[in-house]
Structure formats: C-alpha cells, structure tokens
Amino acid sequence: MVFQSDLLQGKTALITGGGSGIGRGLALALAAHGCNVAVMGRRAEPVAAAADDIRALGVQAAAISADVRDPAAVEQAVAQAAELAGRLDILVNNAAGNFLCLAEDLSPNGFGAVVDIDLKGSFHASKAALPHLKARGGVVLNISSTLQYFGTAAQLHVSAAKAGVDALTRVLAVEWGGYGVRVNGIAPGPVADTEGVRRLLVGRAKETAVGSTPLGRLGSIEDVCNAALFICSDAAAFVTGVTLVVDGGLWLASNGMTEAWAASIEQAGS
Ligand code: HXC
C-alpha cells in the first residue's frame, strides 16, 4: 500500500454507486485504510457483496440500496451511514449513468436521466451530508470525467452533467470552506475493468486510447483510489475546489494533432 494503513482510521464514508467499478474500488481502498464505509447503489446484490468485503477488512460497513435521484432516499442513506459509528466524515459522489448516443438521437428523458444521476444526485447527497460533515470538517469527493473538456461526440448528456459536477465542486468549496468542509473532484480518464470503458471504448477505441496516452496505458482503479486517499486524508488539508485529473496525460494529448506535430517537427529538423 502506498499510504499507511491507519490513514483514515475511525472515520466513516458514504460512497454512492459503490457496488461496482471505481465506486467499489474506492470503498475497499478507504476500508483498507481504517475507514468505516456505507455503500449505496441501485442494485441490492452488488452493494451487499461490497459491504461483506468491507467487513472482511475489519471495519464497519452498511449496504444501502437506494437511487441518488430520490432525495428522500438519499437523506435516509446519509442518516444510515452516520449511524454506523456516530459520524460521517467523507462523502464520495461516484454514482453515474452513461451510454453512447448522438445529440440528435438523444431523448429528453435520456439527457435528463444522466443529469439526474450524475449532477443532481451529487447535489442531493452533498446537501444531505453537510450537517454531518460540518461537525468535524469533512470531505466531499466528486468523481468527474475529462469528457467535458472537449466536444466529445455522443457524450453531450454526460459532458453537460460532469461540467455541472465540476461547477458544484468549485461553488461548494467556497460556500462550505467556512465550515471546514473540503470539496474536491477526481477526473479519471478511461479506467480498465469498469462499466464506463466497456460501454464507451468499443472496438479499436481502447487501443487508440492507450496509444494516445503519454503514460502509455489505461488507468487502473488503484490509480483513482490512490488519488482519492490523498484527497480524503489530512495530507490534503489545504486543498479544496480542485478537480484532479488522473488520466496519464490523455486529455492533454487529445487535440488530434499529436502525430501531425511530430511529423512537422521531424520535417522541420531535416
Ligand atoms: C439512447 C438511451 C440509452 C442508449 C438509455 N437511454 N440508454 N438512449 N441510447 N443506449 C434513454 C432511455 O431510452 C430513456 O429515455 C432514458 O435514457 C432513461 O433510460 P432508462 O433505462 O429508463 O433509465 P434507467 O434505468 O434509470 O438508466 C439509464 C442509464 C443506465 C443511466 C443510462 O442504463 C445506466 O446507469 N447505465 C450505465 C451506468 C454506467 O455506465 N456507469 C459508468 C459511467 S462512467 P426514453 O426517452 O426512452 O424514456 C462515466 C465516465 C466514462 O460516466 C468515462 C470513460 C472514458
């Protein structure tokens, strides 16, 4: 492990979308560092399995099946998480929906479903958690993306939602800084073994992503977890309002001109 195993000892976290993929990885990583973890997700079976795995690490766990689109259910989930050990220190807004669809084919409900999950869900959970987070100076961590940094085709709905999430990170950091609550984000690039990559990087797209990434590989769930552990720990005590990109440099090299520049440089030098 990169960090000491007691990094988050005695704290409690709630992770939305914690039954699979990055959310599950984050739940286990926090638990492995001493944090009690409540895992929330739409499907009961994966959240129950994640909670079992968390308990096996020697901390307390709760499995909560609820949808972030339902503000009342989110309030209940927050209360349940806070009951685990009488406190709530960390909220990870990880729940997300996604599918490939061109804007001209996207229905109002399709656009709305993703905004409701990614953006409004993050708002509902953050607002519900605030009274608990205020008590000891807690942390909100929003899982964003880099898709919204470009005009990513077939990702209008997600890009709009995640741009909103980034705005939420900045505004809440300012509004809640006075309570000692830090609000940050992580923007992963494509992460191997996740539903997002399975759905979005179809066919040759995965190889192209690897080939275009300066660090030469897809991200791993562990890469995201290590960034999250830093942000959630006291090592980041003065870091707020930041969205940390964890993508091996992919988005910086994604203007479609990298090969053309390389050819120009070679020709200019010859
Ligand atoms: C067009 C679609 C669609 C598709 C759903 N819709 N899938 N439209 N193409 N493939 C439309 C539906 O037709 C419907 O609109 C509306 O969206 C709601 O769909 P429902 O299935 O009724 O809703 P629901 O069951 O609530 O879930 C929808 C969903 C879900 C959010 C899209 O399928 C989901 O959660 N998917 C995957 C989750 C996921 O991949 N998470 C990882 C995200 S990673 P109408 O008009 O018909 O009623 C990420 C970053 C990726 O975001 C970065 C990688 C590089």
Side-chain angles (χ1 to χ4, degrees):
M1 290 200 294
V2 174
F3 300 97
Q4 289 190 359
S5 59
D6 63 351
L7 187 76
L8 301 173
Q9 194 74 42
K11 299 198 174 188
T12 299
L14 170 63
I15 303 183
T16 68
S20 62
I22 291 174
R24 183 174 189 279
L26 290 169
L28 293 172
L30 266 58
H33 291 80
C35 195
N36 304 305
V37 182
V39 182
M40 175 180 154
R42 270 191 290 174
R43 291 174 297 136
E45 211 176 291
V47 289
D52 286 343
D53 291 345
I54 290 163
R55 283 186 204 100
L57 293 168
V59 295
Q60 298 187 68
I64 305 166
S65 60
D67 190 327
V68 289
R69 290 175 283 192
D70 177 350
V74 170
E75 275 209 36
Q76 267 188 344
V78 165
Q80 206 176 325
E83 273 167 22
L84 254 186
R87 56 192 285 173
L88 181 63
D89 305 277
I90 298 165
L91 167 69
V92 183
N93 287 312
N94 168 77
N98 202 350
F99 50 83
L100 289 172
C101 186
L102 294 172
E104 63 186 308
D105 300 324
L106 190 60
S107 73
N109 198 29
F111 184 87
V114 171
V115 170
D116 283 350
I117 297 169
D118 296 25
L119 175 55
K120 290 170 75 176
S122 299
F123 169 68
H124 300 322
S126 302
K127 190 163 180 225
L130 179 65
H132 300 282
L133 299 177
K134 266 166 138 177
R136 291 179 184 82
V139 179
V140 177
L141 173 59
N142 296 319
I143 304 303
S144 185
S145 78
T146 57
L147 301 167
Q148 70 277 15
Y149 298 172
F150 325 91
T152 307
Q155 291 286 273
L156 170 70
H157 41 317
V158 184
S159 300
K162 295 296 194 183
V165 168
D166 292 348
L168 191 132
T169 297
R170 289 188 289 267
V171 174
L172 295 186
V174 170
E175 291 195 9
W176 295 355
Y179 299 134
V181 174
R182 298 186 294 110
V183 184
N184 290 296
I186 291 177
V191 176
D193 302 321
T194 61
E195 188 62 24
V197 158
R198 268 191 291 277
R199 281 179 183 239
L200 301 185
L201 296 189
V202 181
R204 285 183 42 232
K206 205 193 248 184
E207 281 165 46
T208 307
V210 171
S212 307
T213 300
L215 291 182
R217 62 172 175 85
L218 291 186
S220 67
I221 290 177
E222 193 184 353
D223 291 323
V224 180
C225 290
N226 285 333
L229 286 166
F230 163 67
I231 286 174
C232 292
S233 77
D234 290 342
F238 206 50
V239 178
T240 197
V242 166
T243 296
L244 180 60
V245 177
V246 180
D247 76 339
L250 175 60
W251 90 268
L252 291 171
S254 294
N255 65 3
M257 287 294 288
T258 306
E259 280 182 24
W261 287 127
S264 285
I265 292 162
E266 202 177 304
Q267 217 175 322
S270 61

